[in-house]
Amino acid sequence: MKSPGYTRKACGTLPLAPPAYGGYTGPMQTRRALTVEDANQLIPWVESVFGRLDAHRERWQKHNEGLQILDVLWGQRVESADNPDHDEYIRHRRGMEAAARAIQSLIERDLIGRGVRLPAGGLDSGIVDFPSTFEGRWIYLCWQRGESCITHWHELDTGFSGRRELVDEDAIVMGLDEPLPDDSGLDF
């Protein structure tokens, strides 16, 4: 349903995502209510972050597979310094640890640090939430990887399964509540 005098920008061509570790460099305030258009402008950035996360997750998985092979061959004996495959074991352990640190850092700096919420399972399913307000309460604008723009929202306690379709008459007021409601219900 359309509200008179308002046209929400159509989902369509989005600007190219910024290069890795470039582009949108200023951190977003974490307790800021985003409008639908604010959130849509962050989508290329979030897509680029997921691309970098994918690379680190693939690296983690490669090292994990190497450790599994060594475990089948040697069991706990591979941990012994005199084992012929001990150096490879150490290399895989360190590689997994480095990849895990890189993943955590990206999530904290480039998602949470910009006010974007990664819900439980969001890394695997490509789901993020953008905090917004609607009718005097906090809500999340919900986006799943591959969607060209924000098309759904949900209450703080309902998650992805409680997504509601975004309609123009709601979209024009989301994120505009002043003063901001109590943010104690936000979980990031």
Side-chain angles (χ1 to χ4, degrees):
M1 184 181 293
K2 291 193 174 202
S3 295
Y6 175 77
T7 305
R8 183 166 36 121
K9 290 182 183 175
C11 296
T13 306
L14 294 172
L16 294 175
Y21 305 105
Y24 311 102
T25 56
M28 195 168 91
Q29 300 170 8
T30 52
R31 294 297 190 241
R32 178 177 161 221
L34 298 176
T35 66
V36 173
E37 292 195 19
D38 290 337
N40 280 334
Q41 289 176 1
L42 287 172
I43 289 174
W45 172 258
V46 173
E47 282 279 14
S48 74
V49 172
F50 270 112
R52 288 179 275 150
L53 286 167
D54 288 346
H56 292 300
R57 291 178 71 190
E58 288 171 16
R59 187 168 52 114
W60 185 93
Q61 185 60 36
K62 182 187 89 165
H63 288 295
N64 184 49
E65 289 169 2
L67 282 177
Q68 289 177 8
I69 291 168
L70 292 173
D71 185 53
V72 168
L73 292 172
W74 297 102
Q76 289 185 339
R77 292 179 297 171
V78 75
E79 295 177 25
S80 175
D82 63 348
N83 185 291
D85 286 331
H86 181 73
D87 289 343
E88 184 177 355
Y89 164 78
I90 295 297
R91 183 177 58 81
H92 286 305
R93 287 281 309 261
R94 289 180 179 158
M96 281 181 68
E97 291 166 0
R101 282 191 307 274
I103 290 167
Q104 187 64 35
S105 176
L106 272 172
I107 290 170
E108 289 175 2
R109 182 188 65 232
D110 291 352
L111 293 178
I112 297 170
R114 291 179 178 278
V116 179
R117 176 180 179 261
L118 186 67
L123 185 57
D124 291 328
S125 58
I127 295 172
V128 297
D129 293 324
F130 300 92
S132 189
T133 55
F134 181 54
E135 297 178 341
R137 68 190 187 279
W138 284 98
I139 60 155
Y140 290 125
L141 300 172
C142 184
W143 175 81
Q144 185 168 26
R145 195 171 186 188
E147 294 175 344
S148 61
C149 64
I150 303 292
T151 58
H152 290 80
W153 67 278
H154 62 81
E155 300 289 346
L156 298 184
D157 61 351
T158 61
F160 188 82
S161 63
R163 284 179 19 139
R164 299 180 193 176
E165 189 171 342
L166 186 62
V167 294
D168 286 345
E169 63 192 27
D170 296 338
I172 62 173
V173 297
M174 287 180 167
L176 299 178
D177 286 341
E178 289 292 334
L180 289 175
D182 174 28
D183 65 4
S184 61
L186 297 176
D187 63 354
F188 70 103

